[in-house]
Amino acid sequence: MKALKQFSAVTLQEQLHDELLKQIKSGQYQPGDRIPSEMQLSAMYHISRVTVRNAIQQLVDEDLLIKRHGKGTFVKAVVHKEEVYTGGSFTDTCLRMNATPSTMIIECKISPMEKEIASLFTENAEQCIEIKRVRLVDEVPCIIEIDYFPVEFQFLLTQRLEKLSLLKLVSNQTGIRPSNFEDHFSIIYANKTFADLLNCAVRTPLLEVTQRVMTFDNKTIYVNKQYILTSKYIYAVRSSK
């Protein structure tokens, strides 16, 4: 532990701030770790609790620490921000952030077509291929994805999908190319199933993104729903005039 200098042009608050910042950046305190309490830091560095409180608040204001009532102060978890120039590719986004993407397939099956999903297709159908996945960044679950494809795309049922781009697979198998995308956004609250998959509390707010992927003549290729834990991952959208 580095001793603070009582007689210095740099205040004790600034010294403690810099020391804690160094410990966070070095990985001594990892995202999600609880740092010592005000009382413990005061004893460790032989400074007043007021000084400790002010240094901690400065790190909270800088979005590096987060206070949780009755639990303590924690290093804020890393939030991955999607880059708009990756074209919506989860894998490309992660690689550009120097993060490791991975996918866990929950189920891949033929299901009855829900009314909401059916309304987004240009042709009436009673069934669809439903693929449910969990997207992880550096082994941390961030997104639940559910994709709905026409039932004639049954080649999807025989593929190992963990490391495949569904869009590229469909394009390669059918020759159909996406041209237009339509996104709708809303907020939902995690039920127990989603909470278990994303390792979050029940009723945690999730960003629901419903994306319709279409051909140049606006025929729906498939519908993608994402349920994003925004404390871990930020969905980015770019518009142009």
Side-chain angles (χ1 to χ4, degrees), residues 1 16 19-20 23-24 28-30 33-45 49 52-53 56 59 65-67 71-75:
M1 183 182 65
L16 179 60
E19 178 63 16
L20 291 174
Q23 292 170 2
I24 292 169
Q28 181 174 337
Y29 294 124
Q30 296 284 333
D33 284 353
R34 183 173 62 182
I35 67 168
S37 67
E38 289 182 7
M39 183 178 297
Q40 289 171 322
L41 289 170
S42 177
M44 289 164 61
Y45 292 100
R49 288 185 64 178
V52 171
R53 188 176 301 120
I56 288 175
L59 290 164
L65 295 178
I66 183 169
K67 292 182 178 179
K71 295 183 178 180
T73 303
F74 297 78
V75 179

Side-chain angles (χ1 to χ4, degrees), residues 1-26:
M1 183 182 65
K2 181 180 177 182
L4 302 186
K5 298 178 181 179
Q6 296 289 334
F7 301 99
S8 170
V10 181
T11 66
L12 292 172
Q13 176 184 325
E14 291 170 326
Q15 290 180 60
L16 179 60
H17 166 276
D18 293 346
E19 178 63 16
L20 291 174
L21 179 60
K22 179 181 176 182
Q23 292 170 2
I24 292 169
K25 288 187 174 181
S26 70

